[in-house]
Amino acid sequence: MDTKLSLHLYRTMLLARRVDEEAVALQRQGVLPAYAPMRGQEAAQVGSASVLDTSRDFAFPTYRELGVALALGVDPVEYMGTHVGAWHGGMYDPMTTRFAPINAVVGGAVTHAVGWAMGADLDGTGGVAMTFFGDGASSQGDVHEAMNFAAVYRLPVVFLCQNNGWAISTPTSRQVAGGSVAARAAGYDMPGHRVDGNDVLAVREAVRQAVARAREGGGPSVVEAMTYRLGPHSTSDDPGRYRSAEEERDHAGRDPLTRFAARLRESGTAEADLTAAEEHAAEVVARVRAELSSSGDRPGEELFDFVYREPTAALLEQRRQWREDHADA
């Protein structure tokens, strides 16, 4: 095991866990209007994203890929800025970070990734698209069309399914025929790999092979990371209504963060290094809280900017009325 790499992966996973916990707290306190927690999926996200080459590859996330964002170097305050409900969404630069804007359409990012991959293939850049989606999204027609299109044209795409066991309140067994997303890859004449999504090194290796294959012209692959959503689907969800406490306790014992920390200790990693990782995460979390809490509201008049290249008469009238209504505000 590469000690330096493993410690870096652990630090990123730990940071994702702590920022995620803080985001839930901020939502409960009214700073964020809503949030989709990713606790339990740190290994699947950090392990897969760590393979990408940010000089030429691109990641296409859903609304739950905090770990991917951090692994690609996205500033956590800028990432969380997407969740404050401002008109501009996040503050990070997708072109610099190679992390596309957050996509709340179920399965929507998958088609975007395939389109980007076709452009990369035509340009000959050697770039690879990696798209993230859940087991629930795998039932969307868009995902079928994207996989079929990518396979027909042998595009450089890695389809990364995080199978966290639940499509909101519907278990995988009731919405994925056959129970395996990876097995579907055979129908598109592409490799499909199922991997322990709670083992960051196993995820990294499976994705490394898929990325290398895509980069060498071998076409797309499906990697299904079997993990578990330890928290709710979103901050408006109550998982206690559809899954048992016993099930949650069982999966908590397979927590990817605690598992990897134990593995690092067994391999000789100093306790001081793990403590330093906690201290670093605490510093970042404090900055996230301070900067998000003090960010303030965007000027209301911006609601009318950047809607159309040339504003319509109706939009101009709405802006005029808004100015009148807020003249004394």
Side-chain angles (χ1 to χ4, degrees), residues 84-120:
V84 300
W87 69 266
H88 50 68
M91 300 290 288
Y92 66 88
D93 180 2
M95 294 304 296
T96 300
T97 60
R98 314 302 282 179
F99 183 78
I102 290 173
N103 195 322
V105 177
V106 177
V110 180
T111 52
H112 295 175
V114 171
W116 184 92
M118 171 160 271

Side-chain angles (χ1 to χ4, degrees), residues 198 228 230 244-255:
N198 290 343
Y228 190 77
L230 293 174
S244 68
E246 181 181 4
E247 176 187 328
E248 293 184 348
R249 284 194 299 270
D250 179 53
H251 283 281
R254 309 173 202 173
D255 186 316

